[in-house]
Amino acid sequence: MIESLDITPTMFDNATDKYQAIAKFLASKGVDADIYPQGSFALGTVVRPVTRTPDAGYDLDLICQLRKDREEQSPGELRSEVERILKDSELYGGKLELFDQCITIHYADVGKVSFSIDVVPAANESDINKQRLVEKSQVPMLIRSSIAIPMYQEKVYTWATNNPKGYREWFEEINRPFLAVVSEKQRRALFESNARVYASIEDIPDSHLRSAVQRVIQILKAHRNVHFSHLKDGDVLKPISAILSTIAAQVAQPMNPWTSVFDLLKAVLEDFHTYGHYRNPNMTEKVFTETYVGKSLIARRNREWILENPANPEDNLVDKWNENPDAAQAFFNWIDVAYKDLTMAFDLKDNEFRAKMDSAFGESTVSKVWGSKYRQSAPRIITSSNAMPKPWRMQ
């Protein structure tokens, strides 16, 4: 079931081939750039899309980092340079959709699943800004890969600091021992189920393997997608994946690499649940840290939520919670639901367990893997007189 939340090796390779083709095309047009994925593809935490419509797709976030400093061009000029080359090409011109923060390239569906690549132009961050970040950072070595991206605000492009390479380096350092303990077993399983894709077991790249850390993030993202798809304003309230990845990795860091997916998932959800106590209006940071010793990943200072990006100390990953208090409330409400669905459902009767999984990950997703398994009778509505309304449950 967990493996079904991931995209297939073929889908992963299709995405990789297409972004490498973009890199070659831009190079052929004289663009001197370092082009690399960021986000879920870079971290190995992609999940299959779950929406109310059958025509869901997945995308890849791509950084196009020109080998020039931000001082050499205005952010608008840099954005226009990359946009013009793609727009004028016969290969990509007809596939483009322009957004304020990225240039999206749409591709033909593969196996009834659509795919797109979001290209984000970037330049090298200035030395002055890097030095400022180094002085603030808890992991100064990560700052060297910082970049500047054009950010559209108030009808004009300005520079914004980003550091996807640094974040990936930080994540992979934590994930490495967790990946090492599963690599041999996973390679054998992948080869047996995808013999047409791989020439041999040795042919399977590390990018196709998934550790307990990566699986936990995928489970949380899949559950989040279903949960928020049923909420009013769910697209606005849905937490960004970086929050889940950051906390999951930091919770995993001191744990035994042999920790199971279930035990790590439970630990991460319990950690999130603990930070939910910050919603108490009387809970100060001092009281919280004294009550919950060692819990300092998320903070709330002067009523401001803070979760620092490990690779950019000036990037607050939960700044949206400060702009919209409903987002923080929706997040911790979701954590409560996820904890019940993902850690307590195993004690239920088969048909109740199946109903929980259907509502947690989507009935169509679960049916593709289990068919009618655990469904001894027709699924029934799961209710609790003490629980808050759950409109995402089966009706």
XYZ file of all heavy atoms in Angstrom, residues 255-334:
674
model
N 17.400 9.064 15.639
C 16.829 7.730 15.783
C 17.675 6.670 15.096
O 18.495 6.960 14.223
C 15.393 7.716 15.246
C 14.444 8.642 15.997
S 12.734 8.630 15.395
C 12.182 7.015 15.980
N 17.446 5.420 15.482
C 18.138 4.274 14.887
C 17.719 4.137 13.422
O 16.515 4.127 13.121
C 17.772 3.005 15.657
C 18.599 1.807 15.246
O 18.900 1.625 14.065
N 18.965 0.987 16.203
N 18.658 4.018 12.479
C 18.298 3.875 11.061
C 17.416 2.660 10.765
O 16.755 2.623 9.723
C 19.655 3.742 10.364
C 20.618 4.401 11.286
C 20.116 4.109 12.668
N 17.406 1.683 11.672
C 16.568 0.499 11.478
C 15.131 0.734 11.951
O 14.297 -0.164 11.864
C 17.167 -0.698 12.219
C 18.450 -1.189 11.610
C 19.715 -0.846 11.972
C 18.580 -2.094 10.513
N 20.641 -1.489 11.172
C 19.972 -2.261 10.262
C 17.671 -2.794 9.706
C 20.464 -3.079 9.258
C 18.163 -3.619 8.700
C 19.546 -3.758 8.486
N 14.838 1.909 12.433
C 13.475 2.225 12.873
C 12.484 1.976 11.738
O 12.731 2.363 10.594
C 13.377 3.691 13.333
O 14.275 3.905 14.417
C 11.965 4.028 13.792
N 11.379 1.324 12.053
C 10.390 1.009 11.019
C 9.655 2.259 10.554
O 9.647 3.290 11.238
C 9.368 -0.001 11.556
O 8.534 0.603 12.534
N 9.030 2.149 9.387
C 8.238 3.257 8.858
C 7.133 3.629 9.847
O 6.905 4.807 10.129
C 7.625 2.889 7.490
C 6.640 3.967 7.029
C 8.723 2.697 6.445
N 6.463 2.621 10.403
C 5.354 2.884 11.323
C 5.842 3.600 12.581
O 5.221 4.581 13.025
C 4.665 1.580 11.710
C 3.544 1.772 12.700
C 2.294 2.204 12.286
C 3.747 1.531 14.051
C 1.266 2.400 13.201
C 2.731 1.728 14.972
C 1.479 2.160 14.541
N 6.940 3.146 13.168
C 7.429 3.768 14.396
C 7.906 5.199 14.150
O 7.702 6.090 14.992
C 8.569 2.937 14.994
C 8.071 1.649 15.629
O 6.865 1.566 15.943
O 8.870 0.704 15.803
N 8.537 5.430 13.015
C 8.981 6.781 12.693
C 7.783 7.691 12.413
O 7.755 8.850 12.853
C 9.923 6.760 11.486
C 10.467 8.117 11.034
C 11.175 8.845 12.167
C 11.417 7.942 9.845
N 6.796 7.169 11.707
C 5.585 7.938 11.429
C 4.908 8.353 12.736
O 4.501 9.512 12.900
C 4.617 7.109 10.582
C 3.240 7.729 10.298
C 3.377 9.003 9.491
C 2.351 6.721 9.567
N 4.809 7.428 13.667
C 4.185 7.732 14.954
C 4.970 8.811 15.702
O 4.394 9.734 16.279
C 4.099 6.459 15.794
C 3.317 6.627 17.088
C 3.162 5.305 17.821
C 2.344 5.481 19.099
N 2.202 4.203 19.843
N 6.311 8.700 15.669
C 7.155 9.691 16.348
C 6.976 11.082 15.742
O 6.908 12.082 16.462
C 8.622 9.260 16.269
N 6.891 11.157 14.424
C 6.726 12.453 13.745
C 5.366 13.062 14.078
O 5.265 14.255 14.389
C 6.886 12.278 12.222
C 6.509 13.571 11.495
C 8.319 11.892 11.876
N 4.319 12.249 14.029
C 2.989 12.762 14.333
C 2.881 13.208 15.791
O 2.242 14.225 16.095
C 1.940 11.680 14.029
C 1.660 11.435 12.545
C 0.820 10.181 12.357
C 0.961 12.637 11.919
N 3.521 12.470 16.701
C 3.509 12.867 18.108
C 4.256 14.181 18.302
O 3.847 15.020 19.116
C 4.126 11.758 18.965
C 3.217 10.540 19.107
C 3.887 9.392 19.849
O 5.139 9.433 20.031
O 3.183 8.446 20.238
N 5.325 14.377 17.545
C 6.067 15.632 17.622
C 5.199 16.800 17.159
O 5.127 17.841 17.818
C 7.339 15.537 16.774
C 8.550 16.109 17.490
O 8.897 15.576 18.556
O 9.128 17.085 16.986
N 4.541 16.614 16.022
C 3.647 17.655 15.519
C 2.540 17.943 16.536
O 2.180 19.099 16.770
C 3.025 17.236 14.185
C 3.857 17.559 12.985
C 4.161 16.582 12.040
C 4.338 18.840 12.770
C 4.916 16.885 10.914
C 5.093 19.154 11.651
C 5.386 18.171 10.720
N 1.989 16.884 17.123
C 0.911 17.052 18.098
C 1.380 17.894 19.285
O 0.639 18.758 19.786
C 0.429 15.687 18.576
C -0.642 15.767 19.631
N -1.949 16.095 19.344
C -0.591 15.581 20.973
C -2.661 16.107 20.461
N -1.862 15.794 21.465
N 2.610 17.664 19.723
C 3.158 18.435 20.844
C 3.205 19.920 20.524
O 2.816 20.766 21.340
C 4.572 17.935 21.203
O 4.497 16.563 21.609
C 5.179 18.754 22.331
N 3.656 20.265 19.319
C 3.748 21.678 18.946
C 2.364 22.325 18.837
O 2.243 23.546 18.895
C 4.520 21.833 17.640
C 5.977 21.485 17.792
C 6.528 20.376 17.141
C 6.807 22.239 18.614
C 7.861 20.040 17.308
C 8.146 21.909 18.783
C 8.667 20.805 18.129
O 9.981 20.473 18.305
N 1.336 21.502 18.703
C -0.017 22.034 18.663
C -0.430 22.714 19.959
O -1.365 23.526 19.971
N 0.277 22.424 21.060
C -0.043 23.073 22.337
C 0.258 24.578 22.291
O -0.225 25.329 23.148
C 0.746 22.421 23.470
C 0.305 21.011 23.767
N -0.952 20.720 24.254
C 0.938 19.813 23.619
C -1.068 19.405 24.419
N 0.055 18.845 24.039
N 1.036 24.990 21.315
C 1.302 26.425 21.154
C 0.036 27.206 20.811
O 0.006 28.431 20.894
C 2.338 26.644 20.050
C 3.765 26.798 20.530
C 4.789 26.033 19.987
C 4.106 27.739 21.502
C 6.119 26.181 20.411
C 5.411 27.896 21.930
C 6.412 27.113 21.386
O 7.715 27.280 21.807
N -1.024 26.505 20.415
C -2.272 27.196 20.083
C -2.937 27.772 21.324
O -3.787 28.662 21.223
C -3.231 26.230 19.382
C -2.828 25.875 17.969
C -3.768 24.837 17.384
N -3.631 23.551 18.041
C -4.388 22.487 17.768
N -5.358 22.598 16.870
N -4.190 21.338 18.386
N -2.562 27.241 22.469
C -3.087 27.789 23.725
C -2.613 29.234 23.865
O -1.412 29.494 23.872
C -2.569 26.942 24.898
C -3.122 27.388 26.243
O -3.498 28.548 26.426
N -3.163 26.473 27.187
N -3.517 30.194 23.971
C -3.109 31.616 24.018
C -2.204 31.955 25.201
O -1.492 32.954 25.169
C -4.446 32.364 24.101
C -5.435 31.357 24.584
C -4.987 30.042 24.038
N -2.223 31.114 26.240
C -1.379 31.359 27.406
C -0.029 30.659 27.334
O 0.771 30.760 28.266
C -2.108 30.913 28.684
C -3.400 31.686 28.919
O -3.440 32.890 28.705
N -4.448 30.990 29.343
N 0.203 29.944 26.228
C 1.439 29.172 26.094
C 2.559 30.050 25.511
O 2.574 30.352 24.324
C 1.222 27.953 25.205
C 2.454 27.073 25.048
S 2.976 26.284 26.584
C 1.663 25.054 26.795
N 3.484 30.457 26.353
C 4.647 31.221 25.892
C 5.756 30.260 25.507
O 5.728 29.069 25.851
C 5.158 32.156 27.000
O 5.638 31.340 28.098
C 4.065 33.080 27.483
N 6.754 30.764 24.786
C 7.876 29.908 24.403
C 8.610 29.387 25.636
O 9.021 28.224 25.685
C 8.845 30.676 23.503
C 9.985 29.805 22.980
C 10.912 30.562 22.052
O 10.959 31.803 22.140
O 11.590 29.903 21.247
N 8.738 30.218 26.656
C 9.424 29.803 27.881
C 8.676 28.657 28.571
O 9.280 27.650 28.949
C 9.545 30.998 28.835
C 10.306 30.704 30.125
C 10.443 31.972 30.959
C 11.294 31.724 32.203
N 10.666 30.754 33.128
N 7.367 28.795 28.712
C 6.565 27.745 29.343
C 6.606 26.469 28.511
O 6.730 25.349 29.047
C 5.107 28.215 29.532
C 4.224 27.065 30.018
C 5.047 29.385 30.511
N 6.520 26.617 27.196
C 6.519 25.447 26.310
C 7.828 24.664 26.434
O 7.818 23.439 26.596
C 6.307 25.883 24.857
C 6.230 24.737 23.888
C 5.021 24.141 23.582
C 7.388 24.241 23.273
C 4.953 23.064 22.693
C 7.327 23.176 22.387
C 6.112 22.596 22.095
N 8.971 25.346 26.335
C 10.265 24.656 26.372
C 10.548 24.042 27.741
O 11.266 23.047 27.834
C 11.398 25.619 25.989
O 11.336 26.791 26.821
C 11.282 26.042 24.537
N 9.971 24.623 28.783
C 10.131 24.036 30.120
C 9.216 22.821 30.297
O 9.574 21.858 30.983
C 9.811 25.077 31.194
C 10.862 26.180 31.307
C 10.449 27.261 32.302
O 9.278 27.238 32.762
O 11.303 28.128 32.609
N 8.068 22.867 29.678
C 7.107 21.759 29.782
C 7.468 20.606 28.864
O 7.382 19.434 29.257
C 5.680 22.255 29.448
O 5.360 23.384 30.255
C 4.655 21.151 29.678
N 7.871 20.938 27.654
C 8.209 19.916 26.649
C 9.695 20.034 26.330
O 10.096 20.615 25.319
C 7.350 20.099 25.396
C 5.869 20.110 25.701
C 5.151 21.312 25.750
C 5.188 18.927 25.968
C 3.795 21.323 26.043
C 3.832 18.931 26.273
C 3.139 20.135 26.308
O 1.802 20.141 26.617
N 10.486 19.480 27.196
C 11.942 19.603 27.100
C 12.448 18.992 25.793
O 12.069 17.879 25.412
C 12.624 18.912 28.304
C 14.138 19.017 28.192
C 12.143 19.542 29.612
N 13.311 19.733 25.105
C 13.908 19.247 23.869
C 13.086 19.515 22.630
O 13.533 19.213 21.517
N 11.888 20.065 22.792
C 11.037 20.348 21.640
C 11.234 21.807 21.223
O 10.657 22.721 21.798
C 9.570 20.095 21.986
C 9.261 18.674 22.438
C 9.552 17.659 21.344
C 9.185 16.261 21.782
N 9.522 15.251 20.752
N 12.060 21.995 20.221
C 12.384 23.370 19.818
C 12.381 23.563 18.306
O 12.863 24.571 17.810
C 13.763 23.760 20.372
O 14.762 22.863 19.889
N 11.857 22.591 17.565
C 11.882 22.694 16.109
C 10.924 23.778 15.621
O 11.249 24.564 14.737
C 11.525 21.343 15.476
C 12.414 20.157 15.894
C 11.974 18.892 15.181
C 13.875 20.463 15.604
N 9.724 23.805 16.195
C 8.768 24.873 15.913
C 8.694 25.757 17.142
O 8.632 25.257 18.267
C 7.376 24.311 15.582
C 7.425 23.481 14.288
C 6.356 25.446 15.433
C 6.099 22.850 13.914
N 8.715 27.067 16.935
C 8.636 28.007 18.052
C 7.503 28.996 17.800
O 7.009 29.137 16.678
C 9.955 28.747 18.225
N 7.104 29.670 18.879
C 6.129 30.748 18.747
C 6.566 31.886 19.656
O 6.468 31.794 20.878
C 4.717 30.279 19.106
C 3.656 31.205 18.516
C 2.267 30.711 18.692
N 1.337 31.551 17.953
C 0.031 31.590 18.164
N -0.510 30.818 19.096
N -0.742 32.386 17.439
N 7.089 32.921 19.028
C 7.631 34.063 19.756
C 6.806 35.304 19.455
O 6.610 35.648 18.288
C 9.091 34.297 19.353
C 10.004 33.135 19.693
C 11.359 33.250 19.056
N 12.062 31.980 19.122
C 13.000 31.602 18.252
N 13.337 32.405 17.261
N 13.584 30.427 18.382
N 6.345 35.939 20.518
C 5.506 37.137 20.351
C 4.335 36.855 19.419
O 4.014 37.641 18.533
C 6.348 38.303 19.821
C 7.478 38.669 20.760
O 7.312 38.678 21.976
N 8.645 38.951 20.187
N 3.772 35.640 19.602
C 2.601 35.190 18.840
C 2.908 34.935 17.366
O 1.990 34.795 16.543
C 1.428 36.171 18.988
C 1.038 36.437 20.438
C -0.223 37.265 20.544
N -1.380 36.507 20.079
C -2.035 35.614 20.821
N -1.621 35.342 22.046
N -3.087 34.992 20.347
N 4.180 34.856 17.017
C 4.586 34.562 15.638
C 5.110 33.127 15.554
O 6.024 32.746 16.300
C 5.685 35.531 15.186
C 5.221 36.968 15.042
C 4.433 37.188 13.761
O 4.910 36.801 12.680
O 3.321 37.753 13.849
N 4.539 32.328 14.643
C 5.016 30.962 14.426
C 6.343 30.995 13.679
O 6.519 31.776 12.739
C 4.006 30.177 13.604
C 2.709 29.890 14.285
C 1.548 30.618 14.189
C 2.420 28.797 15.163
N 0.563 30.041 14.954
C 1.068 28.926 15.564
C 3.172 27.728 15.645
C 0.450 28.011 16.417
C 2.561 26.815 16.498
C 1.221 26.961 16.885
N 7.265 30.101 14.064
C 8.583 30.066 13.423
C 9.026 28.623 13.212
O 9.034 27.804 14.137
C 9.650 30.793 14.275
C 9.283 32.254 14.483
C 11.028 30.687 13.617
C 10.159 32.969 15.496
N 9.378 28.299 11.977
C 10.050 27.041 11.631
C 11.118 27.397 10.606
O 10.821 27.673 9.444
C 9.082 26.007 11.049
C 9.723 24.716 10.506
C 10.515 23.993 11.590
C 8.667 23.797 9.904
N 12.365 27.420 11.033
C 13.450 27.889 10.178
C 13.828 26.859 9.125
O 13.944 25.670 9.402
C 14.672 28.207 11.050
C 15.840 28.793 10.291
C 17.010 29.107 11.209
O 16.816 29.888 12.167
O 18.112 28.560 10.989
N 13.994 27.335 7.907
C 14.544 26.506 6.839
C 16.004 26.206 7.173
O 16.791 27.126 7.365
C 14.440 27.275 5.514
C 14.939 26.476 4.323
O 15.773 25.585 4.442
N 14.432 26.824 3.148
N 16.401 24.930 7.287
C 17.774 24.602 7.679
C 18.836 25.182 6.749
O 19.979 25.381 7.167
C 17.807 23.066 7.637
C 16.381 22.648 7.724
C 15.592 23.721 7.059
N 18.448 25.455 5.506
C 19.409 25.957 4.521
C 19.274 27.447 4.262
O 19.997 27.998 3.436
C 19.250 25.194 3.198
N 18.354 28.107 4.965
C 18.159 29.547 4.784
C 17.530 30.120 6.051
O 16.308 30.086 6.219
C 17.261 29.836 3.580
C 17.051 31.323 3.349
O 17.602 32.158 4.063
N 16.230 31.662 2.366
N 18.336 30.653 6.949
C 17.811 31.119 8.239
C 16.834 32.276 8.139
O 16.157 32.593 9.121
C 19.077 31.538 8.992
C 20.091 31.817 7.935
C 19.787 30.849 6.832
N 16.729 32.904 6.981
C 15.776 33.994 6.807
C 14.451 33.527 6.189
O 13.564 34.338 5.926
C 16.394 35.105 5.969
C 17.564 35.787 6.667
C 18.171 36.922 5.872
O 17.821 37.083 4.687
O 19.016 37.649 6.432
N 14.345 32.227 5.966
C 13.132 31.659 5.378
C 12.335 30.957 6.473
O 12.760 29.914 6.979
C 13.496 30.674 4.269
C 12.274 30.029 3.627
O 11.168 30.598 3.754
O 12.422 28.958 2.999
N 11.205 31.534 6.835
C 10.314 30.936 7.828
C 9.295 30.070 7.096
O 8.415 30.588 6.390
C 9.614 32.026 8.644
C 8.683 31.455 9.700
O 8.683 30.254 9.972
N 7.881 32.316 10.288
N 9.387 28.754 7.254
C 8.555 27.836 6.491
C 7.077 27.910 6.872
O 6.221 27.432 6.118
C 9.062 26.403 6.664
C 10.485 26.133 6.150
C 10.906 24.705 6.461
C 10.570 26.396 4.642
N 6.782 28.479 8.038
C 5.381 28.583 8.468
C 4.907 30.043 8.496
O 4.005 30.394 9.255
C 5.159 27.912 9.846
C 5.353 26.409 9.745
C 6.079 28.509 10.900
N 5.496 30.875 7.680
C 5.084 32.283 7.688
C 3.611 32.446 7.306
O 2.949 33.391 7.733
C 5.980 33.134 6.792
C 6.059 32.636 5.358
O 5.426 31.597 5.048
O 6.768 33.253 4.545
N 3.073 31.490 6.520
C 1.665 31.569 6.134
C 0.748 31.453 7.358
O -0.356 31.995 7.366
C 1.321 30.472 5.128
C -0.081 30.588 4.543
C -0.308 29.648 3.370
C -0.468 28.220 3.833
N -0.872 27.313 2.733
N 1.216 30.761 8.392
C 0.408 30.636 9.614
C 0.246 31.992 10.305
O -0.756 32.233 10.970
C 1.047 29.648 10.588
C 1.128 28.242 10.086
C 0.705 27.770 8.873
C 1.650 27.115 10.790
N 0.948 26.413 8.773
C 1.525 25.992 9.933
C 2.217 26.950 12.045
C 1.952 24.718 10.315
C 2.639 25.683 12.423
C 2.505 24.581 11.577
N 1.243 32.852 10.144
C 1.167 34.184 10.749
C 0.262 35.110 9.941
O -0.381 36.007 10.483
C 2.568 34.785 10.870
C 3.472 33.934 11.745
O 3.063 33.438 12.791
N 4.718 33.749 11.313
N 0.215 34.878 8.629
C -0.643 35.686 7.766
C -2.097 35.252 7.875
O -3.009 36.070 7.755
C -0.169 35.564 6.313
C 1.256 36.075 6.088
C 1.802 35.662 4.728
O 1.024 35.070 3.940
O 2.993 35.902 4.459
N -2.304 33.955 8.081
C -3.650 33.397 8.146
C -3.726 32.404 9.309
O -3.357 31.245 9.167
C -3.994 32.691 6.830
C -5.396 32.103 6.825
O -6.163 32.269 7.780
N -5.738 31.402 5.759
N -4.200 32.835 10.473
C -4.269 31.956 11.644
C -5.061 30.675 11.396
O -4.812 29.651 12.041
C -4.959 32.838 12.702
C -4.650 34.235 12.280
C -4.647 34.211 10.781
N -6.006 30.717 10.450
C -6.780 29.519 10.136
C -5.893 28.406 9.581
O -6.205 27.221 9.714
C -7.869 29.839 9.112
C -8.986 30.694 9.702
O -9.074 30.771 10.940
O -9.751 31.287 8.921
N -4.773 28.784 8.944
C -3.876 27.787 8.369
C -3.210 26.954 9.461
O -3.060 25.734 9.326
C -2.821 28.473 7.499
N -2.797 27.609 10.550
C -2.193 26.876 11.673
C -3.225 25.967 12.320
O -2.936 24.801 12.628
C -1.626 27.861 12.696
N -4.432 26.480 12.526
C -5.488 25.675 13.137
C -5.815 24.470 12.264
O -5.968 23.339 12.761
C -6.741 26.528 13.339
C -7.874 25.827 14.075
C -7.520 25.487 15.503
O -6.917 26.293 16.210
N -7.872 24.285 15.952
N -5.907 24.691 10.950
C -6.213 23.599 10.020
C -5.093 22.561 10.019
O -5.355 21.353 9.906
C -6.414 24.156 8.612
N -3.852 23.012 10.146
C -2.723 22.088 10.163
C -2.810 21.146 11.361
O -2.717 19.916 11.214
C -1.403 22.852 10.206
C -0.192 21.956 10.326
C 0.357 21.368 9.207
C 0.374 21.692 11.569
C 1.458 20.529 9.310
C 1.476 20.856 11.689
C 2.020 20.272 10.551
N -2.983 21.700 12.546
C -2.996 20.850 13.738
C -4.276 20.027 13.837
O -4.262 18.927 14.406
C -2.759 21.700 14.984
C -1.349 22.215 15.082
C -1.070 23.563 14.885
C -0.295 21.352 15.322
C 0.240 24.034 14.959
C 1.016 21.819 15.384
C 1.285 23.154 15.207
N -5.383 20.511 13.278
C -6.583 19.677 13.172
C -6.296 18.468 12.298
O -6.719 17.345 12.599
C -7.747 20.477 12.581
C -8.333 21.473 13.563
O -8.047 21.427 14.757
N -9.145 22.392 13.061
N -5.596 18.709 11.191
C -5.227 17.602 10.301
C -4.310 16.609 11.016
O -4.474 15.396 10.873
C -4.541 18.134 9.035
C -3.821 17.065 8.288
C -4.371 15.927 7.738
C -2.415 16.981 8.031
N -3.383 15.156 7.156
C -2.189 15.778 7.321
C -1.341 17.810 8.326
C -0.916 15.399 6.915
C -0.076 17.437 7.906
C 0.129 16.240 7.219
